[in-house]
Amino acid sequence: METAKATLLRYVVDARASRFTVQAFATGILSAMGHNPRIGIRAFSGEVNFSADAAQAGGFRLTMKSNSLGVLDDISDKDRREIEKMMNDQVLESSKYPDIVYEAPNVTIARLDGSLYSANLAGTLSFHGVTRNQSITARIAQFGEVIRASGEFSLNQSEYGIKPISVAGGALKVKDELKFSFEMVARKQD
């Protein structure tokens, strides 16, 4: 017996109401004097097709501008500018790789309770000129014409051809693993 496909509604990410952060971790003999920078992604856009009634979703796509990453920590303006310049020029190579794109054509939804859902996204992340499989699990809550998705995932910079930052002759460097967390708000479109 075949089940009918639900009508999926289009939701667009509201970047102003959303949050997407990256946590890096310092290592090396001077790591106690360094800090674990928290980076915010400021410019991103995305959309998903979703049906709360049928607990189904279609594809999800999120595009982030690599030059929009900024340090969120309370540090001096001079240090902030220096870290952001190094991040754009040496790490992300933003002029060469301006977009970071996550696409998940397969999204599996499970209703948890009422308007709460769990979503498993089987997608690919295109980052720094490399595309790799990246699965993400998210919790989703629906409130009228708004959905909120939250979750976290990790990746290693080296898997995307990025050499982690190292300063002071390697006495202070950033670990390969980065942790991402997100709180996305998407609004139904007509």
Side-chain angles (χ1 to χ4, degrees), residues 31-52:
S31 63
M33 295 182 338
H35 72 289
N36 297 319
R38 213 168 48 94
I39 311 297
I41 302 171
R42 298 180 186 128
F44 54 89
S45 61
E47 64 180 67
V48 65
N49 296 313
F50 179 73
S51 168

mmCIF file with all atom_site columns, all heavy atoms in Angstrom, residues 31-52:
data_model
loop_
_atom_site.group_PDB
_atom_site.id
_atom_site.type_symbol
_atom_site.label_atom_id
_atom_site.label_alt_id
_atom_site.label_comp_id
_atom_site.label_asym_id
_atom_site.label_entity_id
_atom_site.label_seq_id
_atom_site.pdbx_PDB_ins_code
_atom_site.Cartn_x
_atom_site.Cartn_y
_atom_site.Cartn_z
_atom_site.occupancy
_atom_site.B_iso_or_equiv
_atom_site.pdbx_formal_charge
_atom_site.auth_seq_id
_atom_site.auth_comp_id
_atom_site.auth_asym_id
_atom_site.auth_atom_id
_atom_site.pdbx_PDB_model_num
ATOM 1   N N   . SER A 1 31 ? 48.592 27.458 25.163 1.00 0.00 ? 31 SER A N   1
ATOM 2   C CA  . SER A 1 31 ? 47.126 27.452 25.061 1.00 0.00 ? 31 SER A CA  1
ATOM 3   C C   . SER A 1 31 ? 46.443 27.989 26.320 1.00 0.00 ? 31 SER A C   1
ATOM 4   O O   . SER A 1 31 ? 45.348 28.538 26.239 1.00 0.00 ? 31 SER A O   1
ATOM 5   C CB  . SER A 1 31 ? 46.600 26.057 24.730 1.00 0.00 ? 31 SER A CB  1
ATOM 6   O OG  . SER A 1 31 ? 46.917 25.145 25.753 1.00 0.00 ? 31 SER A OG  1
ATOM 7   N N   . ALA A 1 32 ? 47.097 27.873 27.472 1.00 0.00 ? 32 ALA A N   1
ATOM 8   C CA  . ALA A 1 32 ? 46.502 28.393 28.701 1.00 0.00 ? 32 ALA A CA  1
ATOM 9   C C   . ALA A 1 32 ? 46.373 29.912 28.644 1.00 0.00 ? 32 ALA A C   1
ATOM 10  O O   . ALA A 1 32 ? 45.492 30.493 29.258 1.00 0.00 ? 32 ALA A O   1
ATOM 11  C CB  . ALA A 1 32 ? 47.335 27.985 29.912 1.00 0.00 ? 32 ALA A CB  1
ATOM 12  N N   . MET A 1 33 ? 47.253 30.575 27.867 1.00 0.00 ? 33 MET A N   1
ATOM 13  C CA  . MET A 1 33 ? 47.199 32.030 27.730 1.00 0.00 ? 33 MET A CA  1
ATOM 14  C C   . MET A 1 33 ? 46.290 32.450 26.579 1.00 0.00 ? 33 MET A C   1
ATOM 15  O O   . MET A 1 33 ? 45.850 33.582 26.528 1.00 0.00 ? 33 MET A O   1
ATOM 16  C CB  . MET A 1 33 ? 48.603 32.593 27.506 1.00 0.00 ? 33 MET A CB  1
ATOM 17  C CG  . MET A 1 33 ? 49.492 32.367 28.706 1.00 0.00 ? 33 MET A CG  1
ATOM 18  S SD  . MET A 1 33 ? 51.160 33.049 28.584 1.00 0.00 ? 33 MET A SD  1
ATOM 19  C CE  . MET A 1 33 ? 51.494 33.247 26.891 1.00 0.00 ? 33 MET A CE  1
ATOM 20  N N   . GLY A 1 34 ? 46.045 31.521 25.661 1.00 0.00 ? 34 GLY A N   1
ATOM 21  C CA  . GLY A 1 34 ? 45.161 31.821 24.535 1.00 0.00 ? 34 GLY A CA  1
ATOM 22  C C   . GLY A 1 34 ? 43.726 31.614 24.959 1.00 0.00 ? 34 GLY A C   1
ATOM 23  O O   . GLY A 1 34 ? 43.426 31.385 26.129 1.00 0.00 ? 34 GLY A O   1
ATOM 24  N N   . HIS A 1 35 ? 42.824 31.718 24.014 1.00 0.00 ? 35 HIS A N   1
ATOM 25  C CA  . HIS A 1 35 ? 41.432 31.448 24.350 1.00 0.00 ? 35 HIS A CA  1
ATOM 26  C C   . HIS A 1 35 ? 40.848 30.547 23.269 1.00 0.00 ? 35 HIS A C   1
ATOM 27  O O   . HIS A 1 35 ? 41.462 30.316 22.235 1.00 0.00 ? 35 HIS A O   1
ATOM 28  C CB  . HIS A 1 35 ? 40.649 32.744 24.518 1.00 0.00 ? 35 HIS A CB  1
ATOM 29  C CG  . HIS A 1 35 ? 40.374 33.460 23.237 1.00 0.00 ? 35 HIS A CG  1
ATOM 30  N ND1 . HIS A 1 35 ? 41.344 34.095 22.508 1.00 0.00 ? 35 HIS A ND1 1
ATOM 31  C CD2 . HIS A 1 35 ? 39.223 33.627 22.546 1.00 0.00 ? 35 HIS A CD2 1
ATOM 32  C CE1 . HIS A 1 35 ? 40.806 34.622 21.426 1.00 0.00 ? 35 HIS A CE1 1
ATOM 33  N NE2 . HIS A 1 35 ? 39.518 34.355 21.422 1.00 0.00 ? 35 HIS A NE2 1
ATOM 34  N N   . ASN A 1 36 ? 39.690 30.023 23.553 1.00 0.00 ? 36 ASN A N   1
ATOM 35  C CA  . ASN A 1 36 ? 38.983 29.167 22.609 1.00 0.00 ? 36 ASN A CA  1
ATOM 36  C C   . ASN A 1 36 ? 37.981 30.043 21.870 1.00 0.00 ? 36 ASN A C   1
ATOM 37  O O   . ASN A 1 36 ? 36.888 30.288 22.380 1.00 0.00 ? 36 ASN A O   1
ATOM 38  C CB  . ASN A 1 36 ? 38.271 28.029 23.350 1.00 0.00 ? 36 ASN A CB  1
ATOM 39  C CG  . ASN A 1 36 ? 39.256 27.123 24.055 1.00 0.00 ? 36 ASN A CG  1
ATOM 40  O OD1 . ASN A 1 36 ? 40.304 26.803 23.534 1.00 0.00 ? 36 ASN A OD1 1
ATOM 41  N ND2 . ASN A 1 36 ? 38.919 26.719 25.274 1.00 0.00 ? 36 ASN A ND2 1
ATOM 42  N N   . PRO A 1 37 ? 38.360 30.548 20.694 1.00 0.00 ? 37 PRO A N   1
ATOM 43  C CA  . PRO A 1 37 ? 37.504 31.524 20.020 1.00 0.00 ? 37 PRO A CA  1
ATOM 44  C C   . PRO A 1 37 ? 36.141 30.978 19.618 1.00 0.00 ? 37 PRO A C   1
ATOM 45  O O   . PRO A 1 37 ? 36.013 29.847 19.171 1.00 0.00 ? 37 PRO A O   1
ATOM 46  C CB  . PRO A 1 37 ? 38.310 31.943 18.790 1.00 0.00 ? 37 PRO A CB  1
ATOM 47  C CG  . PRO A 1 37 ? 39.399 30.962 18.656 1.00 0.00 ? 37 PRO A CG  1
ATOM 48  C CD  . PRO A 1 37 ? 39.560 30.249 19.948 1.00 0.00 ? 37 PRO A CD  1
ATOM 49  N N   . ARG A 1 38 ? 35.130 31.809 19.820 1.00 0.00 ? 38 ARG A N   1
ATOM 50  C CA  . ARG A 1 38 ? 33.764 31.510 19.385 1.00 0.00 ? 38 ARG A CA  1
ATOM 51  C C   . ARG A 1 38 ? 33.475 32.435 18.224 1.00 0.00 ? 38 ARG A C   1
ATOM 52  O O   . ARG A 1 38 ? 33.601 33.653 18.332 1.00 0.00 ? 38 ARG A O   1
ATOM 53  C CB  . ARG A 1 38 ? 32.785 31.747 20.540 1.00 0.00 ? 38 ARG A CB  1
ATOM 54  C CG  . ARG A 1 38 ? 31.603 30.830 20.536 1.00 0.00 ? 38 ARG A CG  1
ATOM 55  C CD  . ARG A 1 38 ? 30.841 30.908 21.852 1.00 0.00 ? 38 ARG A CD  1
ATOM 56  N NE  . ARG A 1 38 ? 30.587 32.264 22.272 1.00 0.00 ? 38 ARG A NE  1
ATOM 57  C CZ  . ARG A 1 38 ? 29.471 32.935 21.995 1.00 0.00 ? 38 ARG A CZ  1
ATOM 58  N NH1 . ARG A 1 38 ? 28.498 32.359 21.329 1.00 0.00 ? 38 ARG A NH1 1
ATOM 59  N NH2 . ARG A 1 38 ? 29.309 34.167 22.409 1.00 0.00 ? 38 ARG A NH2 1
ATOM 60  N N   . ILE A 1 39 ? 33.111 31.845 17.097 1.00 0.00 ? 39 ILE A N   1
ATOM 61  C CA  . ILE A 1 39 ? 32.921 32.574 15.848 1.00 0.00 ? 39 ILE A CA  1
ATOM 62  C C   . ILE A 1 39 ? 31.445 32.540 15.469 1.00 0.00 ? 39 ILE A C   1
ATOM 63  O O   . ILE A 1 39 ? 30.807 31.487 15.532 1.00 0.00 ? 39 ILE A O   1
ATOM 64  C CB  . ILE A 1 39 ? 33.747 31.908 14.707 1.00 0.00 ? 39 ILE A CB  1
ATOM 65  C CG1 . ILE A 1 39 ? 35.202 31.660 15.130 1.00 0.00 ? 39 ILE A CG1 1
ATOM 66  C CG2 . ILE A 1 39 ? 33.630 32.696 13.425 1.00 0.00 ? 39 ILE A CG2 1
ATOM 67  C CD1 . ILE A 1 39 ? 36.002 32.874 15.433 1.00 0.00 ? 39 ILE A CD1 1
ATOM 68  N N   . GLY A 1 40 ? 30.921 33.677 15.062 1.00 0.00 ? 40 GLY A N   1
ATOM 69  C CA  . GLY A 1 40 ? 29.540 33.753 14.596 1.00 0.00 ? 40 GLY A CA  1
ATOM 70  C C   . GLY A 1 40 ? 29.505 33.870 13.083 1.00 0.00 ? 40 GLY A C   1
ATOM 71  O O   . GLY A 1 40 ? 30.332 34.564 12.491 1.00 0.00 ? 40 GLY A O   1
ATOM 72  N N   . ILE A 1 41 ? 28.580 33.174 12.471 1.00 0.00 ? 41 ILE A N   1
ATOM 73  C CA  . ILE A 1 41 ? 28.360 33.302 11.035 1.00 0.00 ? 41 ILE A CA  1
ATOM 74  C C   . ILE A 1 41 ? 27.237 34.316 10.874 1.00 0.00 ? 41 ILE A C   1
ATOM 75  O O   . ILE A 1 41 ? 26.121 34.094 11.334 1.00 0.00 ? 41 ILE A O   1
ATOM 76  C CB  . ILE A 1 41 ? 28.002 31.941 10.401 1.00 0.00 ? 41 ILE A CB  1
ATOM 77  C CG1 . ILE A 1 41 ? 29.121 30.937 10.678 1.00 0.00 ? 41 ILE A CG1 1
ATOM 78  C CG2 . ILE A 1 41 ? 27.755 32.097 8.897  1.00 0.00 ? 41 ILE A CG2 1
ATOM 79  C CD1 . ILE A 1 41 ? 28.792 29.501 10.282 1.00 0.00 ? 41 ILE A CD1 1
ATOM 80  N N   . ARG A 1 42 ? 27.544 35.447 10.236 1.00 0.00 ? 42 ARG A N   1
ATOM 81  C CA  . ARG A 1 42 ? 26.593 36.563 10.183 1.00 0.00 ? 42 ARG A CA  1
ATOM 82  C C   . ARG A 1 42 ? 25.688 36.543 8.960  1.00 0.00 ? 42 ARG A C   1
ATOM 83  O O   . ARG A 1 42 ? 24.560 37.014 9.017  1.00 0.00 ? 42 ARG A O   1
ATOM 84  C CB  . ARG A 1 42 ? 27.356 37.874 10.221 1.00 0.00 ? 42 ARG A CB  1
ATOM 85  C CG  . ARG A 1 42 ? 28.157 38.079 11.481 1.00 0.00 ? 42 ARG A CG  1
ATOM 86  C CD  . ARG A 1 42 ? 28.901 39.422 11.423 1.00 0.00 ? 42 ARG A CD  1
ATOM 87  N NE  . ARG A 1 42 ? 29.787 39.547 12.565 1.00 0.00 ? 42 ARG A NE  1
ATOM 88  C CZ  . ARG A 1 42 ? 31.070 39.837 12.463 1.00 0.00 ? 42 ARG A CZ  1
ATOM 89  N NH1 . ARG A 1 42 ? 31.621 40.048 11.302 1.00 0.00 ? 42 ARG A NH1 1
ATOM 90  N NH2 . ARG A 1 42 ? 31.802 39.930 13.545 1.00 0.00 ? 42 ARG A NH2 1
ATOM 91  N N   . ALA A 1 43 ? 26.197 36.091 7.810  1.00 0.00 ? 43 ALA A N   1
ATOM 92  C CA  . ALA A 1 43 ? 25.418 36.145 6.567  1.00 0.00 ? 43 ALA A CA  1
ATOM 93  C C   . ALA A 1 43 ? 25.143 34.730 6.063  1.00 0.00 ? 43 ALA A C   1
ATOM 94  O O   . ALA A 1 43 ? 26.060 34.018 5.654  1.00 0.00 ? 43 ALA A O   1
ATOM 95  C CB  . ALA A 1 43 ? 26.163 36.955 5.502  1.00 0.00 ? 43 ALA A CB  1
ATOM 96  N N   . PHE A 1 44 ? 23.890 34.332 6.149  1.00 0.00 ? 44 PHE A N   1
ATOM 97  C CA  . PHE A 1 44 ? 23.479 33.032 5.626  1.00 0.00 ? 44 PHE A CA  1
ATOM 98  C C   . PHE A 1 44 ? 22.022 33.103 5.205  1.00 0.00 ? 44 PHE A C   1
ATOM 99  O O   . PHE A 1 44 ? 21.266 33.949 5.648  1.00 0.00 ? 44 PHE A O   1
ATOM 100 C CB  . PHE A 1 44 ? 23.715 31.895 6.634  1.00 0.00 ? 44 PHE A CB  1
ATOM 101 C CG  . PHE A 1 44 ? 23.094 32.118 7.985  1.00 0.00 ? 44 PHE A CG  1
ATOM 102 C CD1 . PHE A 1 44 ? 21.794 31.706 8.260  1.00 0.00 ? 44 PHE A CD1 1
ATOM 103 C CD2 . PHE A 1 44 ? 23.806 32.725 8.999  1.00 0.00 ? 44 PHE A CD2 1
ATOM 104 C CE1 . PHE A 1 44 ? 21.231 31.898 9.505  1.00 0.00 ? 44 PHE A CE1 1
ATOM 105 C CE2 . PHE A 1 44 ? 23.260 32.922 10.264 1.00 0.00 ? 44 PHE A CE2 1
ATOM 106 C CZ  . PHE A 1 44 ? 21.960 32.503 10.512 1.00 0.00 ? 44 PHE A CZ  1
ATOM 107 N N   . SER A 1 45 ? 21.667 32.193 4.314  1.00 0.00 ? 45 SER A N   1
ATOM 108 C CA  . SER A 1 45 ? 20.284 32.112 3.844  1.00 0.00 ? 45 SER A CA  1
ATOM 109 C C   . SER A 1 45 ? 19.975 30.652 3.587  1.00 0.00 ? 45 SER A C   1
ATOM 110 O O   . SER A 1 45 ? 20.878 29.853 3.310  1.00 0.00 ? 45 SER A O   1
ATOM 111 C CB  . SER A 1 45 ? 20.090 32.931 2.564  1.00 0.00 ? 45 SER A CB  1
ATOM 112 O OG  . SER A 1 45 ? 20.927 32.435 1.532  1.00 0.00 ? 45 SER A OG  1
ATOM 113 N N   . GLY A 1 46 ? 18.710 30.309 3.675  1.00 0.00 ? 46 GLY A N   1
ATOM 114 C CA  . GLY A 1 46 ? 18.357 28.919 3.441  1.00 0.00 ? 46 GLY A CA  1
ATOM 115 C C   . GLY A 1 46 ? 16.861 28.716 3.377  1.00 0.00 ? 46 GLY A C   1
ATOM 116 O O   . GLY A 1 46 ? 16.078 29.631 3.641  1.00 0.00 ? 46 GLY A O   1
ATOM 117 N N   . GLU A 1 47 ? 16.504 27.503 3.016  1.00 0.00 ? 47 GLU A N   1
ATOM 118 C CA  . GLU A 1 47 ? 15.086 27.146 2.978  1.00 0.00 ? 47 GLU A CA  1
ATOM 119 C C   . GLU A 1 47 ? 14.924 25.645 3.123  1.00 0.00 ? 47 GLU A C   1
ATOM 120 O O   . GLU A 1 47 ? 15.847 24.865 2.893  1.00 0.00 ? 47 GLU A O   1
ATOM 121 C CB  . GLU A 1 47 ? 14.428 27.643 1.700  1.00 0.00 ? 47 GLU A CB  1
ATOM 122 C CG  . GLU A 1 47 ? 14.940 27.041 0.421  1.00 0.00 ? 47 GLU A CG  1
ATOM 123 C CD  . GLU A 1 47 ? 14.204 27.618 -0.780 1.00 0.00 ? 47 GLU A CD  1
ATOM 124 O OE1 . GLU A 1 47 ? 14.368 28.819 -1.058 1.00 0.00 ? 47 GLU A OE1 1
ATOM 125 O OE2 . GLU A 1 47 ? 13.462 26.849 -1.413 1.00 0.00 ? 47 GLU A OE2 1
ATOM 126 N N   . VAL A 1 48 ? 13.720 25.257 3.542  1.00 0.00 ? 48 VAL A N   1
ATOM 127 C CA  . VAL A 1 48 ? 13.353 23.853 3.698  1.00 0.00 ? 48 VAL A CA  1
ATOM 128 C C   . VAL A 1 48 ? 11.883 23.704 3.341  1.00 0.00 ? 48 VAL A C   1
ATOM 129 O O   . VAL A 1 48 ? 11.099 24.634 3.512  1.00 0.00 ? 48 VAL A O   1
ATOM 130 C CB  . VAL A 1 48 ? 13.621 23.358 5.146  1.00 0.00 ? 48 VAL A CB  1
ATOM 131 C CG1 . VAL A 1 48 ? 12.729 24.068 6.155  1.00 0.00 ? 48 VAL A CG1 1
ATOM 132 C CG2 . VAL A 1 48 ? 13.480 21.843 5.246  1.00 0.00 ? 48 VAL A CG2 1
ATOM 133 N N   . ASN A 1 49 ? 11.530 22.552 2.832  1.00 0.00 ? 49 ASN A N   1
ATOM 134 C CA  . ASN A 1 49 ? 10.128 22.212 2.591  1.00 0.00 ? 49 ASN A CA  1
ATOM 135 C C   . ASN A 1 49 ? 9.708  21.283 3.716  1.00 0.00 ? 49 ASN A C   1
ATOM 136 O O   . ASN A 1 49 ? 10.391 20.296 4.001  1.00 0.00 ? 49 ASN A O   1
ATOM 137 C CB  . ASN A 1 49 ? 9.966  21.546 1.221  1.00 0.00 ? 49 ASN A CB  1
ATOM 138 C CG  . ASN A 1 49 ? 10.328 22.500 0.106  1.00 0.00 ? 49 ASN A CG  1
ATOM 139 O OD1 . ASN A 1 49 ? 9.898  23.640 0.096  1.00 0.00 ? 49 ASN A OD1 1
ATOM 140 N ND2 . ASN A 1 49 ? 11.149 22.044 -0.820 1.00 0.00 ? 49 ASN A ND2 1
ATOM 141 N N   . PHE A 1 50 ? 8.570  21.606 4.362  1.00 0.00 ? 50 PHE A N   1
ATOM 142 C CA  . PHE A 1 50 ? 8.196  20.899 5.587  1.00 0.00 ? 50 PHE A CA  1
ATOM 143 C C   . PHE A 1 50 ? 6.683  20.800 5.704  1.00 0.00 ? 50 PHE A C   1
ATOM 144 O O   . PHE A 1 50 ? 5.963  21.731 5.334  1.00 0.00 ? 50 PHE A O   1
ATOM 145 C CB  . PHE A 1 50 ? 8.768  21.677 6.783  1.00 0.00 ? 50 PHE A CB  1
ATOM 146 C CG  . PHE A 1 50 ? 8.455  21.089 8.126  1.00 0.00 ? 50 PHE A CG  1
ATOM 147 C CD1 . PHE A 1 50 ? 9.076  19.932 8.569  1.00 0.00 ? 50 PHE A CD1 1
ATOM 148 C CD2 . PHE A 1 50 ? 7.551  21.714 8.966  1.00 0.00 ? 50 PHE A CD2 1
ATOM 149 C CE1 . PHE A 1 50 ? 8.797  19.405 9.819  1.00 0.00 ? 50 PHE A CE1 1
ATOM 150 C CE2 . PHE A 1 50 ? 7.264  21.197 10.225 1.00 0.00 ? 50 PHE A CE2 1
ATOM 151 C CZ  . PHE A 1 50 ? 7.891  20.035 10.642 1.00 0.00 ? 50 PHE A CZ  1
ATOM 152 N N   . SER A 1 51 ? 6.207  19.675 6.239  1.00 0.00 ? 51 SER A N   1
ATOM 153 C CA  . SER A 1 51 ? 4.800  19.504 6.574  1.00 0.00 ? 51 SER A CA  1
ATOM 154 C C   . SER A 1 51 ? 4.719  18.983 8.000  1.00 0.00 ? 51 SER A C   1
ATOM 155 O O   . SER A 1 51 ? 5.119  17.838 8.275  1.00 0.00 ? 51 SER A O   1
ATOM 156 C CB  . SER A 1 51 ? 4.116  18.513 5.624  1.00 0.00 ? 51 SER A CB  1
ATOM 157 O OG  . SER A 1 51 ? 2.842  18.174 6.136  1.00 0.00 ? 51 SER A OG  1
ATOM 158 N N   . ALA A 1 52 ? 4.231  19.823 8.905  1.00 0.00 ? 52 ALA A N   1
ATOM 159 C CA  . ALA A 1 52 ? 4.083  19.407 10.290 1.00 0.00 ? 52 ALA A CA  1
ATOM 160 C C   . ALA A 1 52 ? 3.015  18.327 10.426 1.00 0.00 ? 52 ALA A C   1
ATOM 161 O O   . ALA A 1 52 ? 3.190  17.361 11.172 1.00 0.00 ? 52 ALA A O   1
ATOM 162 C CB  . ALA A 1 52 ? 3.731  20.604 11.164 1.00 0.00 ? 52 ALA A CB  1
#
